[in-house]
Amino acid sequence: MCKYRVQAYDPFGFKKLKDVWDKLYEGKDMTYFQSYDWYEIINSMIPLKGEVLYLVVSNGLQPILIAPLWILRRTFGFINKKGCYFFGRGGYTDYLNFIYKSFDPLALDAIFVYVRTNYGISRYFLECMPEYSASYQYIVRTKTVVKIHQSICVKLALPDSSSQYENMLSKHVRQNLRTAKNRCQKSGLVLTQTFYKETTDRLLIDNCKMIREMRLDLKTSRAKKQMSLMQKCRNNVERILKYQFPVYHVLDVHTQGWLLTITCQDELCAFFHGGYDMFRNSLVVMCAGVNPKFARYSPGLLSMYNQIKIFLEEQHLDSIDFTRGNEKYKYDLGGKDEYIYHVPVSYTHLTLPT
């Protein structure tokens, strides 16, 4: 059997990995957030704390796994624990994983050995790992896992036709769609829907950001009203002590992403933004927003519903991944729960079969 060899690249050497990365990304466990193009974006926003490494494992001459990692050599601020994390956490990356075409357990063990030997670290905090991935299944089956935390993602598997899609929706949702259309007619509103494969229109992007912030402020205000005093205090302390990664807005940095807008007389009513995963033929939703002024007309639900029907008529899309969060509109549109897991792992072995 060939020896497993690990080679480390820092963020300045990232571009050297493109050819290898693109080949490994074809694996069925990968998502849009494991693509080279996505990491090229976040590679320009390196944290000031810790170290970012791209570890490439080869079996003989063949690269078989890439590990994008953020390593903290020591605990700071009490809650930022010494350990090894996925690079990409703390931002818009909804799924985190190692990069591989076909999962090799020994390649992952080689990563653990390398980090333990070179950094003295045996604790991993592996967040947002898809439940279906072979890497997650291997870790929870064979390693010492402390406590797993589960999060919900929502994904819509598209049927073959518009009629089949209509039948997927509940009677209640179909009625809500009719009600929204009737409200628009009664109010004399004409909604215009546009799908951009890419856009660099600065004014449009800024308008999207503005209504998203309005929506987030409203959600935050509602959440705070439901919190106990103890929870508010805990959140404030955590906000002060928790390391803050470089701030970016996906609408600013993700310039190759698609954008779906719905407007009324040039005023933005709602939008969706995300990426397209060509290998899995899937649309990924990264952020969305609704202008409160038009909320009673359900412009977001209407626009995505109409766009899904267009996709089905063109027959070129297999799924829409609404990613993290269990917002109601995702289920109204036919989405189903999938799960990601945050996995604290303790790894102390220092030997690897060769």
Side-chain angles (χ1 to χ4, degrees):
M1 182 181 293
C2 296
K3 292 185 177 180
Y4 289 80
R5 181 171 60 91
V6 179
Q7 188 171 0
Y9 294 82
D10 64 18
F12 295 103
F14 171 77
K15 290 186 177 180
K16 299 177 182 178
L17 302 176
K18 179 170 173 45
D19 290 343
V20 169
W21 196 302
D22 284 344
K23 290 177 182 177
L24 297 180
Y25 174 63
E26 296 177 15
K28 64 180 179 64
D29 283 356
M30 301 297 96
T31 73
Y32 185 81
F33 299 104
Q34 278 70 62
S35 67
Y36 177 88
D37 289 345
W38 178 252
Y39 266 90
E40 187 175 34
I41 293 171
I42 61 177
N43 187 63
S44 64
M45 294 170 280
I46 301 301
L48 297 177
K49 291 280 190 179
E51 300 172 53
V52 171
L53 288 176
Y54 299 98
L55 301 183
V56 181
V57 184
S58 299
N59 188 347
L61 299 176
Q62 183 68 35
I64 56 176
L65 183 144
I66 299 174
L69 302 176
W70 180 57
I71 296 175
L72 286 183
R73 292 177 181 263
R74 58 184 61 86
T75 296
F76 68 94
F78 300 106
I79 65 174
N80 303 284
K81 302 297 184 183
K82 170 184 175 181
C84 189
Y85 302 75
F86 281 123
F87 176 49
R89 69 186 297 267
Y92 282 87
T93 307
D94 281 12
Y95 303 110
L96 289 161
N97 203 346
F98 304 95
I99 319 301
Y100 54 86
K101 186 172 184 178
S102 178
F103 180 67
D104 184 337
L106 292 181
L108 184 52
D109 282 345
I111 294 293
F112 291 146
V113 169
Y114 182 93
V115 172
R116 181 72 177 87
T117 302
N118 291 277
Y119 292 88
I121 289 174
S122 58
R123 289 296 303 278
Y124 291 76
F125 301 92
L126 303 177
E127 300 154 298
C128 300
M129 296 193 74
E131 181 180 31
Y132 58 79
S133 65
S135 54
Y136 168 78
Q137 295 295 335
Y138 172 70
I139 287 171
V140 297
R141 188 176 68 250
T142 65
K143 309 305 177 192
T144 303
V145 178
V146 182
K147 184 179 180 181
I148 298 176
H149 174 68
Q150 180 189 80
S151 293
I152 292 176
C153 296
V154 181
K155 187 173 183 178
L156 168 61
L158 292 175
D160 295 329
S161 67
S162 293
S163 59
Q164 288 177 325
Y165 177 62
E166 290 282 351
N167 291 334
M168 287 174 57
L169 304 181
S170 70
K171 182 178 179 180
H172 177 69
V173 169
R174 293 196 296 269
Q175 179 58 53
N176 285 346
L177 288 166
R178 287 191 293 270
T179 299
K181 293 175 183 177
N182 290 336
R183 284 177 177 172
C184 289
Q185 290 175 355
K186 288 180 181 178
S187 299
L189 298 184
V190 178
L191 302 181
T192 303
Q193 181 172 323
T194 308
F195 184 82
Y196 303 87
K197 290 186 177 179
E198 290 184 14
T199 182
T200 56
D201 184 330
R202 191 66 251 175
L203 179 60
L204 178 57
I205 291 171
D206 287 343
N207 284 338
C208 290
K209 289 170 61 178
M210 180 181 67
I211 69 169
R212 175 167 171 79
E213 292 306 314
M214 292 167 62
R215 173 176 174 264
L216 288 177
D217 289 344
L218 184 60
K219 286 179 65 176
T220 301
S221 177
R222 288 173 177 171
K224 284 183 178 180
K225 289 180 180 179
Q226 297 176 354
M227 287 183 189
S228 65
L229 179 60
M230 180 66 72
Q231 184 63 53
K232 289 180 182 178
C233 292
R234 188 181 298 116
N235 286 353
N236 287 335
V237 171
E238 183 174 329
R239 186 167 56 253
I240 293 170
L241 296 178
K242 188 175 182 180
Y243 176 70
Q244 300 299 316
F245 287 86
V247 177
Y248 65 97
H249 199 294
V250 69
L251 283 161
D252 289 326
V253 300
H254 190 231
T255 55
Q256 72 271 37
W258 56 266
L259 183 67
L260 171 63
T261 65
I262 185 164
T263 57
C264 178
Q265 295 182 339
D266 296 327
E267 187 171 4
L268 185 64
C269 304
F271 81 93
F272 293 90
H273 171 77
Y276 172 64
D277 184 343
M278 60 180 289
F279 286 104
R280 281 143 284 276
N281 202 24
S282 177
L283 215 64
V284 179
V285 178
M286 296 183 188
C287 69
V290 175
N291 188 334
K293 176 180 175 180
F294 297 93
R296 70 184 300 266
Y297 303 105
S298 304
L301 184 67
L302 276 174
S303 61
M304 184 55 80
Y305 165 77
N306 290 332
Q307 192 61 45
I308 288 171
K309 295 188 72 173
I310 292 172
F311 288 143
L312 289 170
E313 289 166 5
E314 296 175 351
Q315 296 182 337
H316 71 264
L317 197 66
D318 292 333
S319 64
I320 298 178
D321 191 340
F322 293 110
T323 62
R324 279 186 290 183
N326 59 350
E327 290 87 348
K328 182 176 179 295
Y329 80 87
K330 299 178 180 181
Y331 300 105
D332 287 347
L333 290 165
K336 303 296 182 184
D337 285 346
E338 292 194 346
Y339 299 98
I340 54 175
Y341 292 92
H342 312 287
V343 190
V345 181
S346 178
Y347 183 87
T348 57
H349 302 295
L350 284 175
T351 59
L352 179 70
T354 57

